[in-house]
Amino acid sequence: MYNIGMRSLRKYCCIAFVSAALLPWNATAVNHEALTTRLFIQNKNTGSVERMLVQTLQAIKEGRLQQALDYVDQLLKISPNFALAHLIHGDLLSAKARILNGFGDANAANLNRIQDLKDEAETRIRNYFDQDRGLTQPNLLVELSEKQTHVLFVDTARSRLYVYEKSHKDTLKYLADYYVTIGKNGIGKKDQGDKRTPIGVYFASRKLNRPLPDLYGDAAYPLNYPNEIDSYERKTGSGIWIHGTPRDTYSRPPRASDGCVVLSNPDMKALQDILQLGNTPVVIGVNFQWISPESLKQQAQAKSALKVALEDWRKDWVSQNTDAYLAHYAGDFFYSEGGLSKWSGYKRQIQANKPKVSINLSEVSMFTYPNSAKNMVVVDFEQEYISPALRNVMKKRQYWVQENGQWKILYEGSA
């Protein structure tokens, strides 16, 4: 019986994981124990649930049946509603008595459900062995304002949310990452009800305090979809949130939401202090590329150039040199009332008498708009405007794009 079980386990693990090239354990020259130890250390910020899942699969690969059962039993004590762990537990028990032909073979009645769980297992393991994650930061221009302490990156291709905090010298420090679920139909939200997750730069507001259906779990934080670019591109829909899972469900498949970003309730709890601050930047993209420390210098140069452009815009506005001021705007500029032509006429009328003004900018933040056709950056700031007739303080948002190597303003409005 034991030998049959061992053969079943090896076949099971080979079919489920090695053949999918998820784990680097089929290389005979690799010291598997040392590799696993190193990766567990490297992934110290990964949740205990995911670490224990990988430990279970490692034990299965090495044919350590009882240890694998011990691991998965511990996992289920921590997360008794973790369906993937229950599936593996059932396979392990069945493998003692019969040969398994594939992942979830012991529970093959619901093939769609089994495929969902297999997708989740593959997604989690692939991320665990992504040796680049957390080493630096995504290849995006990012600057947090003085009041912003963290930024969240959601990589839809990896079904992963990465948490970074503001560090010294204008850099970001990796803190942790979490498995997430995105829309049933993938990414690129355009229409209401299309069950897709939007791509772009968004800001999470504070936790919704009203009672919500159990589907949304312990907490929900709305994102500002549609943002200004979405609305300009006539994208419809609303109610894109970061939220948890039903109380009887630890996690959902990688593609299962109606467009929201969904985390387990324990992971939502881990993020609550960050999200509850409000106005938390959430950058949702596809296949983020992590940059080397050397490449950070290039990002710093790009950020510096944009800061210079922003300051030149401010100075030209203060000088009331209308032609120089309007030269900062892109040809396809738009705002809430129209395009560049209307904006230019309005500004020329106001500045015709050359009123003396004072303009101060503070709380500046910058975020590259991911996967955009143009090199585009969302710039937020607090603007203080003082003239003989008016004093106004407002939160402003601009979208800057590069045209012929120069930064130009594509959009401007209140934030």
Side-chain angles (χ1 to χ4, degrees):
M1 184 71 70
Y2 178 77
N3 289 335
I4 293 175
M6 294 304 295
R7 289 197 300 272
S8 302
L9 282 172
R10 291 192 180 102
K11 182 177 181 182
Y12 163 85
C13 192
C14 181
I15 292 172
F17 303 106
V18 178
S19 63
L22 294 174
L23 304 178
W25 298 330
N26 55 340
T28 56
V30 174
N31 182 328
H32 301 312
E33 182 176 355
L35 173 65
T36 305
T37 299
R38 177 173 61 80
L39 287 170
F40 284 161
I41 293 172
Q42 177 180 312
N43 291 275
K44 61 182 181 300
N45 290 335
T46 301
S48 59
V49 168
E50 201 155 70
R51 287 199 304 271
M52 292 179 71
L53 173 67
V54 175
Q55 284 178 315
T56 300
L57 298 174
Q58 168 76 355
I60 292 173
K61 168 61 182 172
E62 295 176 355
R64 294 180 280 117
L65 172 60
Q66 189 55 54
Q67 194 164 20
L69 281 169
D70 291 342
Y71 284 148
V72 79
D73 283 341
Q74 293 175 39
L75 181 51
L76 288 171
K77 286 180 181 178
I78 295 173
S79 302
N81 57 354
F82 192 10
L84 176 56
H86 280 288
L87 181 71
I88 295 172
H89 185 262
D91 279 353
L92 283 168
L93 292 177
S94 295
K96 291 184 177 182
R98 66 186 182 91
I99 294 176
L100 299 179
N101 295 311
F103 184 80
D105 190 51
N107 304 273
N110 188 338
L111 295 180
N112 289 335
R113 178 60 171 155
I114 297 304
Q115 185 60 48
D116 284 343
L117 293 171
K118 181 179 178 181
D119 291 344
E120 180 180 347
E122 291 178 350
T123 300
R124 287 180 179 275
I125 296 167
R126 185 176 290 112
N127 173 79
Y128 194 90
F129 287 95
D130 180 359
Q131 298 184 39
D132 292 330
R133 87 188 217 281
L135 295 182
T136 53
Q137 65 185 58
N139 188 19
L140 303 171
L141 188 158
V142 175
E143 170 146 326
L144 299 178
S145 72
E146 291 183 5
K147 293 180 180 178
Q148 291 171 328
T149 59
H150 297 80
V151 56
L152 308 181
F153 298 100
V154 177
D155 191 325
T156 56
R158 295 179 172 94
S159 288
R160 209 75 188 177
L161 183 151
Y162 302 87
V163 184
Y164 283 78
E165 71 174 350
K166 181 164 52 181
S167 185
H168 64 287
K169 296 182 181 179
D170 265 353
T171 60
L172 298 176
K173 179 184 177 182
Y174 163 79
L175 290 184
D177 57 90
Y178 303 97
Y179 168 82
V180 299
T181 294
I182 65 166
K184 291 183 178 72
N185 293 325
I187 58 172
K189 184 169 184 62
K190 294 181 179 180
D191 303 309
Q192 183 173 353
D194 62 9
K195 301 185 187 301
R196 294 180 180 273
T197 297
I199 298 298
V201 176
Y202 301 95
F203 297 88
S205 60
R206 290 186 176 90
K207 177 182 176 181
L208 291 173
N209 290 323
R210 68 177 185 266
L212 295 172
D214 187 49
L215 173 67
Y216 301 104
D218 292 345
Y221 300 84
L223 301 179
N224 66 318
Y225 174 88
N227 63 23
E228 297 81 7
I229 294 295
D230 296 325
S231 297
Y232 181 70
E233 295 177 348
R234 298 184 179 181
K235 295 178 181 179
T236 59
S238 60
I240 300 298
W241 301 347
I242 297 177
H243 67 77
T245 56
R247 288 168 179 79
D248 64 352
T249 304
Y250 178 76
S251 58
R252 296 169 65 183
R255 305 289 183 269
S257 80
D258 289 339
C260 294
V261 176
V262 182
L263 293 86
S264 71
N265 289 324
D267 291 345
M268 285 299 303
K269 186 175 182 180
L271 288 175
Q272 66 182 359
D273 289 343
I274 295 173
L275 289 168
Q276 197 53 29
L277 293 173
N279 198 38
T280 305
V282 181
V283 182
I284 306 177
V286 186
N287 274 325
F288 291 135
Q289 301 299 309
W290 274 261
I291 55 179
S292 65
E294 294 75 20
S295 299
L296 286 174
K297 296 179 182 178
Q298 297 178 0
Q299 285 289 358
Q301 292 172 354
K303 190 187 301 184
S304 177
L306 181 52
K307 286 181 177 179
V308 169
L310 180 64
E311 176 61 11
D312 287 345
W313 166 81
R314 187 196 68 82
K315 288 179 178 178
D316 288 335
W317 188 4
V318 170
S319 74
Q320 300 292 285
N321 183 339
T322 306
D323 289 337
Y325 169 76
L326 291 175
H328 292 284
Y329 291 84
D332 52 350
F333 168 81
F334 68 96
Y335 70 116
S336 59
E337 302 296 326
L340 181 60
S341 177
K342 189 171 184 179
W343 178 265
S344 298
Y346 169 66
K347 289 297 182 179
R348 288 187 185 281
Q349 181 180 0
I350 290 178
Q351 297 181 5
N353 296 325
K354 304 292 183 182
K356 184 177 181 180
V357 299
S358 172
I359 298 166
N360 299 303
L361 309 182
S362 60
E363 295 295 335
V364 178
S365 67
M366 299 179 175
F367 304 96
T368 295
Y369 209 88
N371 304 101
S372 173
K374 297 182 177 181
N375 186 11
M376 183 162 62
V377 178
V378 184
V379 180
D380 280 13
F381 50 86
E382 188 171 282
Q383 173 185 292
E384 180 189 45
Y385 175 92
I386 302 174
S387 72
L390 176 69
R391 181 184 184 277
N392 174 264
V393 178
M394 66 180 294
K395 288 288 293 183
K396 182 170 277 189
R397 176 165 298 147
Q398 295 177 331
Y399 288 76
W400 288 72
V401 295
Q402 277 193 316
E403 290 186 351
N404 300 319
Q406 292 185 318
W407 286 106
K408 301 286 186 179
I409 302 170
L410 178 66
Y411 165 86
E412 183 173 324
S414 60

